[in-house]
Amino acid sequence: MSDPNLLAGRYRLLERRDRTGTAWRARDELLNRDVTITEVRLPPPGPHRDWLLGQIRAAADLRHPGVATLHDVISAPDRMWLVLESVEGRSLIQAVRSDGPLSSERAAEIGLRVLDALTAAHERGFHLAATPETVLLTPDGRVVLTGVANPVPAGDLRDLGATLFTAIEGRAPDTGSQAVPRMADGTPLAAPATGPTGSGPLAPLVEGLLSADPAHRPDATSVRLSLERVAPHSTAPHSAASRSRRGPLVVTAAATAVAAVAAGAFWLWPRPAAPAPTVPVPLPASFAKAPDPCALISREQAAELSLNPLPSKEGPGRCAWKSDDTGQPTNMRYRLWIQTVRFASGEKAHTGYTRFLKEDGGRTKTSTGLPLILTRPPKALPGIAAEAYAMEATNQLTYYTGVVFRAANLVVAVQYQRGGETDPRGGTREAALRTGRWVLESLSRAR
């Protein structure tokens, strides 16, 4: 009997790599290596589908250190799964948000490597997206272009201009209709800048690339010459033959996600940044009524957890969200429960919280009688509401993380669950803690 957690009988999906739930870190169990699996939803038969398939074929034919290598394609009538090599790193936008703007020299070095990848793609007949979110910087200093299939060929150099501006100014340029660069979690890098397009030796180039009139933008050759004049070590290759060489700053193959979008593009996403440190959320001194658990997270937040944004009530004070896509392997299906219990006072809520803690610590079976294995017994979570704990367990069919906290006279329980008996790299834990934070933020607005 085939393993339902394996895609095509070979690839084990381990964790989501993006908030849309279409890209995963996976394991090729035949070749014993990590890969990235990306689900691409196919449009109806016609020009749009033909264009998308053509882009995928072109990407498969390209062998270049700055473009992801496509290892395999798994087909279904309405979708495809792309199997690509996987590389870890931070997007440029994450790096700038965390560490501040880059020097003009460093930005120029990055720009040269990005331009080389764009040129290689053009020679094969497809176009890459080079936005601040899709330029990946790896821990060993490499530069990786992770955005694939820009549906507007003339837009990739303008994307490069926005990337260079963001790198040296630390904020997004005002490029008219162009979207503001965002983090992988949807957070904007900064409000769009207005007025001049920065200063320094790259300013004239950036201003030209961001021109609203395509006729006023420099061509690729002019861009390369301008960048080489600023970069301290201009080792960017100029020809197809020399592109295989690796200089001190190399572009390496990267693929952290590919997802079809309505505009006809698909993207490679970097791994999300590490969560920010916990900051206490101010809460009401008392809750006059129990809040509706179905209203404690937004539709957008549910979608970030790969859940149907429309929840269902499961009795008084309990609400559930679930994944609806049965086309996914069972270990990539998720469920979320949120339960709220209001007590007459904070003291009584503390007693109720203590009872939940004791019950969770001694639980050996699920509500349906399946044996339950505590993989992480209840452990206190300091700095979250008045008191809180987290635990993790599996019944060998599913794995879940529970977070329970007391806020004044209210006790809230959050449980995030995935299929499978393990939780590689703490995916349910991270999601449950993030959901708890969202719930606290909602409760802070209660009156």
Side-chain angles (χ1 to χ4, degrees), residues 166-209:
T166 302
I168 59 180
E169 296 296 324
R171 65 188 190 276
D174 180 4
T175 56
S177 60
Q178 184 161 313
V180 175
R182 293 177 179 270
M183 297 286 287
D185 64 1
T187 305
L189 174 69
T194 57
T197 56
S199 59
L202 289 178
L205 172 63
V206 172
E207 185 171 359
L209 288 171

Side-chain angles (χ1 to χ4, degrees), residues 37-61:
I37 302 287
T38 299
E39 179 184 327
V40 177
R41 298 297 182 96
L42 296 175
H48 191 185
R49 177 181 285 204
D50 293 342
W51 174 87
L52 182 58
L53 293 176
Q55 292 291 295
I56 293 173
R57 293 189 188 101
D61 288 339

Side-chain angles (χ1 to χ4, degrees), residues 27-375:
R27 188 72 177 169
D28 181 344
E29 298 204 336
L30 178 62
L31 298 181
N32 195 31
R33 65 181 177 185
D34 286 341
V35 294
T36 291
I37 302 287
T38 299
E39 179 184 327
V40 177
R41 298 297 182 96
L42 296 175
H48 191 185
R49 177 181 285 204
D50 293 342
W51 174 87
L52 182 58
L53 293 176
Q55 292 291 295
I56 293 173
R57 293 189 188 101
D61 288 339
L62 178 62
R63 292 293 180 269
H64 184 274
V67 181
T69 299
L70 182 58
H71 295 312
D72 195 4
V73 176
I74 302 161
S75 297
D78 64 340
R79 69 190 81 186
M80 301 175 74
W81 288 274
L82 308 184
V83 182
L84 306 108
E85 59 183 318
S86 179
V87 173
E88 306 292 343
R90 289 192 302 172
S91 68
L92 184 142
I93 200 170
Q94 290 170 337
V96 170
R97 186 177 178 90
S98 173
D99 304 334
L102 307 179
S103 68
S104 295
E105 292 78 10
R106 172 62 170 155
E109 285 183 308
I110 292 172
L112 283 169
R113 299 317 188 268
V114 170
L115 182 61
D116 186 50
L118 294 175
T119 302
H122 287 187
E123 292 173 356
R124 289 286 181 173
F126 73 105
H127 302 273
L128 299 172
T131 67
E133 191 174 50
T134 63
V135 173
L136 187 70
L137 309 179
T138 68
D140 60 0
R142 297 176 294 175
V143 179
V144 175
L145 189 59
T146 62
V148 176
N150 187 337
V152 184
D156 44 16
L157 286 181
R158 197 177 192 216
D159 285 346
L160 176 58
T163 296
L164 291 171
F165 182 98
T166 302
I168 59 180
E169 296 296 324
R171 65 188 190 276
D174 180 4
T175 56
S177 60
Q178 184 161 313
V180 175
R182 293 177 179 270
M183 297 286 287
D185 64 1
T187 305
L189 174 69
T194 57
T197 56
S199 59
L202 289 178
L205 172 63
V206 172
E207 185 171 359
L209 288 171
L210 294 178
S211 174
D213 184 355
H216 293 161
R217 297 176 200 158
D219 60 19
T221 300
S222 299
V223 172
R224 183 181 296 279
L225 292 173
S226 297
L227 291 172
E228 287 177 342
R229 282 194 290 268
V230 178
H233 304 291
S234 297
T235 57
H238 291 260
S239 66
S242 63
R243 267 192 297 272
S244 62
R245 297 199 306 265
R246 295 186 178 221
L249 180 68
V250 266
V251 185
T252 188
T256 49
V258 180
V261 297
F266 55 93
W267 302 89
L268 294 168
W269 290 75
R271 286 181 52 76
T278 300
V279 178
V281 175
L283 296 167
S286 181
F287 292 87
K289 62 179 181 179
D292 178 4
C294 293
L296 291 178
I297 68 169
S298 68
R299 292 188 176 190
E300 293 76 16
Q301 289 166 340
E304 286 190 32
L305 301 176
S306 295
L307 300 167
N308 186 324
L310 298 177
S312 59
K313 288 199 172 183
E314 294 195 346
R318 185 174 169 90
C319 195
W321 293 255
K322 63 180 181 178
S323 302
D324 279 341
D325 190 353
T326 57
Q328 293 180 346
T330 56
N331 68 329
M332 286 293 111
R333 300 177 196 170
Y334 302 90
R335 294 200 72 178
L336 170 70
W337 288 270
I338 298 177
Q339 182 177 6
T340 58
V341 182
R342 178 186 172 274
F343 294 85
S345 66
E347 292 78 9
K348 291 184 178 180
H350 170 72
T351 300
Y353 168 87
T354 303
R355 185 176 69 251
F356 291 169
L357 175 60
K358 182 178 180 180
E359 290 175 354
D360 278 340
R363 198 180 303 276
T364 59
K365 292 184 179 181
T366 68
S367 59
T368 57
L370 289 174
L372 191 68
I373 301 171
L374 284 180
T375 59

